[in-house]
Amino acid sequence: MNEQVSAAAPTRILVIDDSNTIRRSAEIFLKQGGHEVALAEDGFDALAKLGDFHPDLVFCDILMPRLDGYQTCAIIKRNPQFSAVPVIMLSSKDGLFDKARGRMVGSQDYLTKPFTKDQLLQAVLQHRP
């Protein structure tokens, strides 16, 4: 039944990661799940795409050049237009401190890289509006 729902109204997902491999993997997994995907290679790129794409959900890497994931998440959450959009942090570290800091800036969840297709799609099911 979930597939029929996502086929009728695909979830719009923005993936922010400085790793081309992670971005492409996430894009493939999410598109196989029937979702619409936009990719950004860092926080500035993501903020430029937010207004045009209007995502329903954001996956955001923590360690990125120029603007890190915590700063990017905080900026997204401070914008009234996007404050309700769930943000899921991505990190290769599975640290308690990172998870707590992510929650402090407004993220809904935390996914450790490398993630599987099932983990990614499960996170979308849990957090999409």
Side-chain angles (χ1 to χ4, degrees), residues 16-94:
I16 313 164
D17 200 301
D18 59 326
S19 161
N20 187 45
T21 306
I22 294 291
R23 283 196 313 273
R24 293 291 168 219
S25 298
E27 180 182 33
I28 290 164
F29 293 159
L30 292 167
K31 283 186 173 177
Q32 286 173 347
H35 305 294
E36 217 175 297
V37 184
L39 304 175
E41 60 189 42
D42 63 32
F44 287 111
D45 189 22
L47 296 173
K49 290 179 177 174
L50 261 183
D52 293 334
F53 187 65
H54 292 280
D56 300 310
L57 181 66
V58 174
F59 285 102
C60 184
D61 184 23
I62 291 175
L63 296 173
M64 296 184 291
R66 302 197 303 161
L67 198 63
D68 74 20
Y70 299 122
Q71 294 165 315
T72 304
C73 180
I75 292 168
I76 292 169
K77 290 298 184 176
R78 278 199 297 261
N79 182 327
Q81 194 178 355
F82 302 107
S83 60
V85 174
V87 177
I88 299 171
M89 304 305 281
L90 299 173
S91 179
S92 48
K93 297 188 296 185
D94 192 15

Side-chain angles (χ1 to χ4, degrees), residues 100-120:
R101 190 166 171 208
R103 293 231 187 261
M104 284 170 53
V105 294
S107 74
Q108 272 62 39
D109 208 347
Y110 187 98
L111 202 56
T112 305
K113 299 188 287 189
F115 44 77
T116 65
K117 177 181 174 182
D118 288 344
Q119 288 171 320
L120 198 63

